[in-house]
Amino acid sequence: MKKIGIYGGSFDPVHKGHVNLANCALSELSLEKVIIMPSYIQPFKRDNRFTAPSDRVNMLKLSFDNPKIEISTYEIDKEDISYTFDTMSYLKGQYGDSELVFIVGTDSYLGIEGWYKGLDLLQNFSFAVATRPGYEADLEEKAKYYSDEYDTVTYILHNTVLAVSSSEIRKNVADGKNISELVNEKVEEYIRIEGLYRN
């Protein structure tokens, strides 16, 4: 069965850690493709102010040049809160013959049972989890628990861990600091030209 990776998030902005993780999942799991799914509003961040969807999508397009990685505006086009289960169910209707693998960080993975329809997610979809140093034992334990309890398939990735976050990048830009080590040069130029994150 073909496997398709789904990688969601606000990507505000996309950084080298995001790119590394998508490429790692694509390679390690021999995925048919990875669909990058920028959110309109994330349930856990609904009080935050996001950069315009068009800017976030443009930066994603500048970051990925692999033909097996595509950017989807499905959640943005809905203009509503982005629930992972709803998006994955929609994609299941589009790719019913493929195994859908949701790419996620360790922190999020450990708490999936508390998500909107989290149990349904665990019972119906697979997960690829990014490595986080110091959490290996917790991750292995949770993957076994999900497997025993919900028959969930979990793939643990061996991604290169980069000390970078979107919030750090936004703060660095606002403080006039260099971000060339955190994002690719095209994204850095886009942020500068468009005047993003300056206040």
Side-chain angles (χ1 to χ4, degrees):
M1 178 184 287
K2 294 179 180 178
K3 293 196 288 283
I4 295 175
I6 315 299
Y7 189 9
S10 52
F11 302 108
D12 193 13
V14 57
H15 54 64
K16 289 182 178 180
H18 294 135
V19 176
N20 173 267
L21 181 55
N23 285 323
C24 175
L26 187 67
S27 174
E28 282 195 19
L29 304 183
S30 299
L31 299 175
E32 185 76 9
K33 65 179 175 179
V34 171
I35 299 173
I36 307 292
M37 184 72 69
S39 59
Y40 181 67
I41 300 172
Q42 287 188 302
F44 300 119
K45 299 181 180 180
R46 64 179 71 186
D47 294 328
N48 290 17
R49 185 180 61 154
F50 288 107
T51 302
S54 58
D55 286 322
R56 291 187 284 127
V57 170
N58 287 339
M59 288 187 284
L60 283 167
K61 290 177 178 177
L62 291 171
S63 292
F64 293 99
D65 59 4
N66 189 323
K68 288 192 172 185
I69 296 180
E70 66 180 54
I71 316 300
S72 170
T73 59
Y74 169 74
E75 290 189 348
I76 286 174
D77 293 342
K78 285 175 62 180
E79 297 188 348
D80 201 355
I81 294 173
S82 305
Y83 290 109
T84 300
F85 179 78
D86 293 344
T87 297
M88 295 295 284
S89 296
Y90 163 77
L91 292 170
K92 187 66 177 175
Q94 304 296 305
Y95 303 102
D97 296 334
S98 298
E99 176 186 356
L100 297 187
V101 182
F102 190 69
I103 301 168
V104 66
T106 295
D107 288 356
S108 296
Y109 177 77
L110 296 176
I112 289 173
E113 285 177 303
W115 290 16
Y116 169 76
K117 293 193 176 179
L119 306 190
D120 293 319
L121 265 174
L122 291 164
Q123 290 167 347
N124 289 282
F125 302 101
S126 302
F127 293 83
V129 190
T131 302
R132 180 177 175 187
Y135 285 79
E136 292 86 355
D138 291 341
L139 184 51
E140 293 281 357
E141 181 180 341
K142 186 64 80 169
K144 183 180 185 309
Y145 167 73
Y146 286 160
S147 176
D148 292 343
E149 193 75 14
Y150 307 109
D151 201 28
T152 309
V153 174
T154 299
Y155 305 99
I156 297 177
L157 301 172
H158 303 89
N159 55 294
T160 301
V161 179
L162 301 176
V164 53
S165 71
S166 294
S167 59
E168 175 190 4
I169 293 167
R170 295 194 299 269
K171 185 176 187 307
N172 284 355
V173 172
D175 293 343
K177 295 180 180 177
N178 188 288
I179 59 169
S180 60
E181 297 299 313
L182 308 178
V183 301
N184 79 21
E185 59 185 24
K186 292 180 181 178
V187 170
E188 181 183 18
E189 182 181 23
Y190 186 92
I191 289 171
R192 177 178 57 78
I193 291 172
E194 298 298 325
L196 304 180
Y197 312 123
R198 288 183 182 170
N199 49 43

